[in-house]
Amino acid sequence: MDKDQLAILGGSKSKTTPFGTGKRFGEEEVKELVEALEQNTLFYHSGRKVKLFLERFNALYGVTHSVATSSGTAALHVAIGSAGISVGDEVITSPITDAGSVIGILYQNAIPVFADLDPHTYNMTAETIGARITPRTKAIVVVHLAGNPADMDPIMEVAREHGLIVIEDCAQSYMTYYKGRLVGTIGDYGCFSTNDYKHISTGDGGIVVVNSQDETDFQRTHAFADKNYSRFGNQVNRDMGLLAPNYRMTELQGAVGVAQIAKLTWICDQRNRYGDQITAGIQGIPGIMPHEVTVDSRCTYWFYMFTVDPDVFSCTRDEFAKALQAEGIDCSAGYIAKPVYMQPLFLNQEAYTGSHFPFDLTDIAYSEGLCPAAEHILKSAIRLPVNEFFTEQDRDEVIAGIRKVAAHYKKSELKV
Ligand SMILES: *Cc1c(COP(=O)(O)O)cnc(C)c1O
């Protein structure tokens, strides 16, 4: 049999064995959980586990102040709320992200404004952000997509120039370095998720890093995750000044987090190596654009996403992905189905049933064509899962599969 024949056409598969797997949770998590239960309290303020989780995180990240939350969405809402983002403010963010990036903005009755993306890093840039700044703009939620840092130096420059708060959405980007600095420590706040799909899991959970060295900024953030109750030392102040939700993390999550964080460096090293080696293996294939890592930076690949140039291949992006799947290579065509601004909530400008508030405070418009590069990414991308348990064989067979499919579909007039 011709070994170059595609599996989808009856040839043999590029992938000859199942992808590597492993257990994320073990004895370490069990031990921490038992200890948490033996405390006879699961309340974060009374127990030790959430505090220890944050201490370990702070040590790893070299930061002094962080707050634990019930989810990544909660972490982002806490940052936005405690930063004072309020009714009618505009907050610039990415159109290719999780709903969690915009939920907190809307709960503060602020208005999400979407900035376009770099076509190859899939992140917002200082230029695309700058094009969206108006007198109403108060903050930027910078999403570091898929473990890849946004180009922060020029973004911070634009933000400082306009007096904007910078919140880094690091839900997909643990141990991601931008020019030697960890993302999440560069803006005013860094928000992380420990939902079950992220680099580390506590089932659900999140962290807000407060980069201000002003103790009152930390205390305000801490209180915003806990009904605006101020719990410091043995003092509790329950005065209701401003509205805030209850987004507390429990000791059970904290306990699992303590054990998980010990594995984070290894997990991120594995993912970084795997992704960079995929890039090395597919670099230079005509019509294939690898996942481009921001210059002088380190990506810890929550997933790997390359794009295909439809002019080079005789197949569509969807056909390319199907052929790759037939090769035994896990992949999906695109990422989210459409940019966030194409969701009904935005097209109808109705976040709250029967109301157009807060959109009707401005003349904001959401429609197809708003962010052309983002739309093009979603139409031309193929996404490969990345996992810390994937092996060198997995990597080699994925590369071979992509090369095989690309060679088969390369338009003949381009074949030399
Ligand atoms: C996962 C994710 C969130 C939300 O985190 P949850 O813990 O699921 O609430 C926010 N932003 C991005 C970019 C994410 O990937």
Side-chain angles (χ1 to χ4, degrees), residues 70-74 76 96-101 143-145 169-172 192-196 198 204-206 302 335:
S70 53
S71 71
T73 303
L76 285 152
I96 299 186
T97 186
D98 183 86
S101 305
V143 179
H144 303 290
L145 197 76
D169 181 343
C170 308
Q172 302 183 1
F192 294 81
S193 163
T194 55
N195 89 19
D196 207 46
K198 300 294 156 70
D204 268 308
W302 188 53
Y335 174 31

Side-chain angles (χ1 to χ4, degrees), residues 14 98 225 340:
S14 303
D98 183 86
V340 177

